[in-house]
Amino acid sequence: MFRTAVRNVLAHKARLLMTVLAVMLGVAFVSGTLVFTDTLGNAFRNQSAKNYDKVAVAVTTWAERGDEETPAVDEATLEKIEDLDGVAEATGRVSGFAGVADPDGKLIGNGWSNTGSNYSPGTDGKDAQYTFTEGTGPVKAGQIALDKETANKGEYRVGAPVRVATNGPVKEYTLSGVFTTEDGAVNAGGSLVLFDTEVAQQLYLRPGQFSDVTVTADAGASDQRLLDAVKPLLPENAEAKTGAALADEEAEMTESGLKSLNSMLLAFAAIALFVGVFLIANTFTMLIAQRTKELALMRAVGASRRQVKRAILLEAGVVGLIASVTGFLLGVGLATGLRSAMGMFGGKIPAGPLVVSPTAVASAFAVGVLITVFAAWLPARRAAKIPPVAAMSSVHAVATTKSLVVRNSFGAVITLIGSALIVAGAAQGDENGRWLLGGGAFLALIGVIVLIPLLSRPVIALARPLLRRLFGVSGKLAAQNAVRNPRRTGATASALAIGLTLVTGISVLGVTLGQAIDKMTTDNIRADYMVSMASGDSLDESALAALRKADGVAAATPQRAVWLTAGKGGVSASGVTPGDVEKVFNLKVVSGSLSSLKDGEIAVDRKTAKSHGWKTGDSVPVTFDDEKKETLKVGALYEGNEFLSPVLIPEDVVDPHESVADIREVWLTMDGGQSAANEKAVIDALGDNPAMSVMDRQGIRDMFGGFINTALNIMYALLAMALVIAVLGVVNTLAMSVFERQQEIGMLRAIGLDRRRVKRMIRLEAVVISLFGAVVGVGLGTFLGWAIGKSLSASIPGYALVIPWDRLALFLVLAGLVGVLASLWPARSGAKLNMLTAIKTE
């Protein structure tokens, strides 16, 4: 039976090609994901080990600039650490944000990973953490050093002036040297600026103090003993660990992050393989139908049902093995390409070999073979049940009325249960509701797939008059052929339906959320510009002062982050400028007046006031972060604004409690509104600072809604694999259907249907099947998109369902185009059949 199975694979290799391609693509997705994440994990683990290779003990404090309460490591403590037995060297570090401008004045890097630190030479005059390729480290106030990537991007050479921004005004420094580093910020596409130690302390902490310390050991000294000796010398709340422990922690964090990426990619691989199951099952069903007499002959000469089924499953196993080998090799190439692509997009992966683990190999082959055998099991089972006599007489075993009734009844029940769970989950809306929704979506999808053969007849029947009117005989025959075998049509359409269900659901949800976020932005903001740090850090007070003096500024208010302990617990507040806050935000007052902010009173959003039992005129005792208490009067209640904290408090009330203001953004309204001149005035007021972002209203809308479009594009790209496999399914079905209908096509040619009309008939059949699958997918996807959005609506202000009709129409057009493209080869093959040879074909 094994020889028979191999012989059959070789005999039908052309007809099995699409199955091999489908499995190959799914296996490539799985193996590529595993190899890629294993390679990344290994590279980052090696980097962590290398970074801490010479570190015996690392000390971390949480001291920050302006925070006088949190202790840091002073120089006296650093000297005590250096004097310990077994310590070769102790190096103090301070760090924070530093951005470098490129030749066009734009920020190099992505903001959050742009870092500044201090150059700390040892007794040999070098800092062991950095290797200089040009020049030397900075040794005086006016000098800096840059990492090699940043220097190249900025086209900077040693001795050149470089504009560097921290969270204050831009300053110009002289480049003293260029170095290479394995620093994680640089590898993430950011930059690293090294300052002289005294300059770095003034910028990021306090003179004479360090936030971190690294200790290297003499040869033979125990890291643990040094750790025990260092700990008693440290200030309160400082944390010390061995370098090995920190390397292990970083490796664990890396693996944790990669697990999420791994799970997401494998989920999309599973979708692609699920779609492939329909293609494989369809292929083997059609192959078995075409080999009915052959299988009957095998039964007649003594083969048992079990042997017939085993032979077909062996064929599937051979196909799966071939597809797994090619898919695995393609997956390794895909992993290599992804690694290179990350470098092209600015993400630097540490050097290291491509890791092909036994798990990746075993998973790829297990997935490929098992999926193929699983998909072929039902066709094999049906083949084994064909009676030899019936098969020898060419009476194909068609589905009985009883089997169709059972199938349709089962599908209807599953669909109704799934739909009910979806509606219940959408109505409930919390985490439990989302679990209900997910389970319902799975059941509904399975139910619709089971019902698709039943749905194909009435749905395609609606298109039959149009096809007949537009395309005559070819259109009539195409519609009849599309529903001649509902099971085959359903299996082919199911693959497209699954892909378009997911794409449509994501589109409806994404567009709806995008519109809600966009509406939230336009409804809540009156400001013309928002100024913030590209790094996400706080703005310096000097930036606020400069903006208030800028030409054309009509109103300016910061959004200062403040934390108050009040009433039933803590509440966040926004420190704002009285009189200006209402000019830059739309604030609907419920009671009282916002002018009370000028009198030192506070404004509270209605929901927060209700939860704390506050009313206009109430006196509220609060405690600030400095643990000082005040009693503040509620001067106004307003409807909540998504861009402000629930409590508004005047700046001058906050000032005595904060040594450094935590200014997250500055919002501006300009005389004359948005204009190129006003924007330039704002930029000039900030000293053309590359680290500060100036956004107009459209930029603000794009910032808050842009991640939706980015997520949509990523989802579309990942689902493309499933849609490609669905297209292969249409090609495969048509090609095998043409082969199966050679005699029929020959007869049609003989009675006058020319080649052009034969091609048109096959093309229209493909378009009808593709559009049928697309209509089912778009309908189910829209329903799921509504349900998911409804479950989230309570947490999204201004939520309203938006149906992206233009995108849905595009999906249908693309589905029709898919049908046309998928039919090119089968239509050409059908039209080229010799009519006399075809008529004689059995």
Side-chain angles (χ1 to χ4, degrees):
M1 297 306 291
F2 179 75
R3 288 198 300 271
T4 303
V6 173
R7 215 166 31 243
N8 280 325
V9 170
L10 295 175
H12 303 106
K13 51 184 176 290
R15 279 175 273 174
L16 289 168
L17 177 62
M18 297 302 171
T19 297
V20 171
L21 286 175
V23 180
M24 180 187 74
L25 290 174
V27 170
F29 211 145
V30 172
S31 57
T33 295
L34 294 174
V35 171
F36 178 63
T37 52
D38 285 347
T39 298
L40 256 63
N42 182 69
F44 283 114
R45 277 193 300 273
N46 290 341
Q47 182 193 44
S48 298
K50 184 178 179 181
N51 286 346
Y52 293 104
D53 183 38
K54 296 180 181 179
V55 176
V57 176
V59 177
T60 304
T61 72
W62 283 266
E64 295 179 353
R65 179 172 174 263
D67 179 7
E68 301 294 337
E69 300 297 323
T70 305
V73 177
D74 57 27
E75 291 183 352
T77 303
L78 187 64
E79 289 176 3
K80 289 178 182 178
I81 294 173
E82 283 187 315
D83 291 339
L84 291 173
D85 290 338
V87 172
E89 196 168 41
T91 305
R93 301 284 181 193
V94 286
S95 60
F97 171 78
V100 179
D102 66 12
D104 297 325
K106 303 297 183 182
L107 182 68
I108 296 175
N110 46 32
W112 60 267
S113 61
N114 291 347
T115 308
S117 187
N118 62 301
Y119 177 70
S120 183
T123 53
D124 60 354
K126 298 179 181 179
D127 190 328
Q129 195 164 339
Y130 310 104
T131 302
F132 279 80
T133 57
E134 298 177 48
T136 60
V139 292
K140 56 184 180 181
Q143 294 181 333
I144 60 160
L146 291 177
D147 68 272
K148 188 175 181 179
E149 294 287 335
T150 301
N152 289 340
K153 289 175 183 176
E155 301 177 6
Y156 292 119
R157 296 292 177 264
V158 173
V162 181
R163 296 175 70 243
V164 179
T166 53
N167 65 341
V170 179
K171 293 183 181 179
E172 193 170 277
Y173 298 85
T174 300
L175 183 63
S176 67
V178 176
F179 58 89
T180 58
T181 178
E182 290 296 326
D183 186 275
V186 177
N187 285 330
S191 61
L192 178 58
V193 181
L194 295 182
F195 299 92
D196 175 65
T197 295
E198 290 185 4
V199 173
Q201 287 173 332
Q202 291 172 355
L203 286 172
Y204 301 125
L205 192 56
R206 299 182 286 272
Q209 297 196 336
F210 301 95
S211 54
D212 304 298
V213 176
T214 55
V215 179
T216 55
D218 289 327
S222 166
D223 291 356
Q224 187 59 47
R225 287 183 180 177
L226 284 180
L227 177 64
D228 294 337
V230 167
K231 279 185 175 179
L233 303 177
L234 300 178
E236 186 181 358
N237 295 328
E239 184 178 68
K241 294 182 180 180
T242 63
L246 283 173
D248 290 342
E249 282 185 10
E250 277 198 11
E252 287 178 9
M253 290 174 61
T254 299
E255 287 178 5
S256 177
L258 290 174
K259 277 181 182 176
S260 300
L261 173 64
N262 205 27
S263 299
M264 182 184 73
L265 292 176
L266 288 177
F268 284 95
I271 292 169
L273 288 166
F274 184 56
V275 172
V277 165
F278 293 92
L279 189 157
I280 299 164
N282 224 9
T283 300
F284 278 93
T285 298
M286 295 175 72
L287 279 175
I288 289 164
Q290 293 166 13
R291 291 161 49 198
T292 303
K293 284 190 176 182
E294 174 194 327
L295 295 172
L297 183 60
M298 290 174 63
R299 291 290 311 281
V301 298
S304 67
R305 287 185 175 184
R306 182 179 297 177
Q307 285 178 311
V308 170
K309 184 163 70 173
R310 190 185 302 156
I312 294 170
L313 293 179
L314 280 170
E315 290 180 39
V318 172
V319 171
L321 186 62
I322 294 169
S324 297
V325 171
T326 53
F328 178 74
L329 295 175
L330 181 62
V332 172
L334 181 65
T336 305
L338 284 173
R339 183 175 177 175
S340 301
M342 282 188 69
M344 291 172 61
F345 287 105
K348 183 181 174 185
I349 300 174
L354 194 70
V355 178
V356 182
S357 67
T359 302
V361 178
S363 298
F365 281 85
V367 165
V369 175
L370 291 177
I371 287 291
T372 311
V373 172
F374 170 76
W377 179 80
L378 191 58
R381 184 172 174 271
R382 287 178 185 156
K385 286 184 174 182
I386 299 174
V389 175
M392 292 291 283
S393 61
S394 296
V395 180
H396 290 212
V398 296
T400 64
T401 303
K402 179 181 177 182
S403 71
L404 291 175
V405 170
V406 170
R407 174 184 177 132
N408 294 333
S409 300
F410 175 75
V413 169
I414 293 295
T415 304
L416 287 173
I417 293 173
S419 300
L421 289 175
I422 289 171
V423 172
Q428 188 165 336
D430 56 13
E431 186 175 349
N432 292 330
R434 285 188 275 277
W435 277 108
L436 284 175
L437 204 158
F442 177 76
L443 290 177
L445 187 60
I446 296 298
V448 168
I449 289 169
V450 173
L451 285 175
I452 272 187
L454 175 67
L455 295 173
S456 63
R457 289 185 181 276
V459 173
I460 294 176
L462 294 174
R464 189 180 297 169
L466 180 64
L467 290 171
R468 186 187 300 127
R469 190 176 301 114
L470 293 177
F471 303 103
V473 174
S474 297
K476 178 181 179 180
L477 291 172
Q480 290 175 342
N481 289 333
V483 294
R484 176 185 295 180
N485 190 332
R487 289 180 183 271
R488 182 190 304 160
T489 298
T492 305
S494 293
L496 272 173
I498 293 166
L500 282 175
T501 293
L502 297 171
V503 169
T504 302
I506 289 169
S507 298
V508 171
L509 181 63
V511 171
T512 298
L513 294 180
Q515 291 273 7
I517 291 172
D518 191 59
K519 185 175 185 298
M520 178 183 72
T521 306
T522 53
D523 287 353
N524 289 321
I525 295 173
R526 299 175 66 184
D528 295 310
Y529 298 101
M530 181 188 81
V531 178
S532 61
M533 291 291 293
S535 62
D537 293 335
S538 299
L539 285 159
D540 192 81
E541 291 181 82
S542 61
L544 175 60
L547 288 169
R548 282 175 169 156
K549 296 176 183 176
D551 293 339
V553 173
T557 182
Q559 206 280 80
R560 287 175 63 169
V562 181
W563 184 257
L564 303 173
T565 302
K568 298 177 182 178
V571 61
S572 63
S574 291
V576 296
T577 303
D580 283 1
V581 65
E582 56 266 43
K583 296 177 183 177
V584 298
F585 293 107
N586 285 319
L587 297 173
K588 183 180 178 181
V589 178
V590 177
S591 63
S593 172
L594 290 175
S595 62
S596 62
L597 290 170
K598 294 180 180 179
D599 300 323
E601 298 177 4
I602 61 174
V604 184
D605 84 34
R606 181 179 56 81
K607 290 182 179 178
T608 302
K610 184 178 179 181
S611 67
H612 285 81
W614 298 339
K615 303 185 299 296
T616 305
D618 285 355
S619 294
V620 178
V622 300
T623 304
F624 288 85
D625 264 352
D626 61 357
E627 298 185 357
K628 293 181 180 177
K629 297 181 179 181
E630 282 197 34
T631 299
L632 301 175
K633 185 178 180 181
V634 178
L637 300 183
Y638 65 96
E639 291 291 347
N641 187 297
E642 298 300 318
F643 296 91
L644 290 168
S645 298
V647 174
L648 304 184
I649 183 169
E651 280 186 283
D652 55 4
V653 174
V654 181
D655 284 336
H657 302 282
E658 293 183 344
S659 55
V660 177
D662 186 4
I663 303 174
R664 293 297 169 179
E665 305 109 22
V666 176
W667 299 82
L668 306 170
T669 299
M670 309 294 290
D671 291 328
Q674 294 178 182
S675 67
N678 278 339
E679 185 171 344
K680 186 175 186 306
V682 173
I683 292 172
D684 289 345
L686 296 170
D688 195 14
N689 192 322
M692 294 184 185
S693 168
V694 178
M695 291 187 185
D696 58 13
R697 286 184 190 172
Q698 186 59 50
I700 296 167
R701 291 162 69 180
D702 291 343
M703 179 183 71
F704 287 100
F707 75 93
I708 298 287
N709 291 326
T710 301
L712 277 177
N713 291 333
I714 292 172
M715 295 293 184
Y716 289 156
L718 292 173
L719 287 170
M721 186 74 75
L723 293 174
V724 168
I725 293 174
V727 172
L728 293 177
V730 178
V731 176
N732 199 44
T733 298
L734 285 174
M736 298 187 74
S737 180
V738 167
F739 180 85
E740 192 177 85
R741 288 153 40 200
Q742 287 185 68
Q743 191 175 48
E744 174 193 319
I745 292 172
M747 288 295 295
L748 289 171
R749 291 288 315 283
I751 62 175
L753 195 69
D754 59 21
R755 290 184 174 181
R756 182 171 58 85
R757 289 180 179 174
V758 169
K759 284 184 179 180
R760 183 185 299 164
M761 175 186 73
I762 297 170
R763 278 199 297 268
L764 289 173
E765 183 181 345
V767 170
V768 166
I769 293 173
S770 298
L771 285 175
F772 168 59
V775 167
V776 172
V778 166
L780 184 55
T782 302
F783 177 51
L784 291 177
W786 162 81
I788 297 170
K790 184 69 175 175
S791 71
L792 300 171
S793 59
S795 58
I796 303 172
Y799 171 86
L801 178 67
V802 179
I803 305 295
W805 297 109
D806 54 343
R807 297 194 189 194
L808 301 189
L810 178 62
F811 295 157
L812 294 175
V813 170
L814 290 176
L817 182 61
V818 161
V820 172
L821 295 176
S823 68
L824 291 178
W825 174 47
R828 186 169 177 270
S829 300
K832 288 176 68 176
L833 286 174
N834 183 288
M835 68 180 73
L836 295 178
T837 303
I839 290 171
K840 291 189 296 181
T841 300
E842 294 190 10

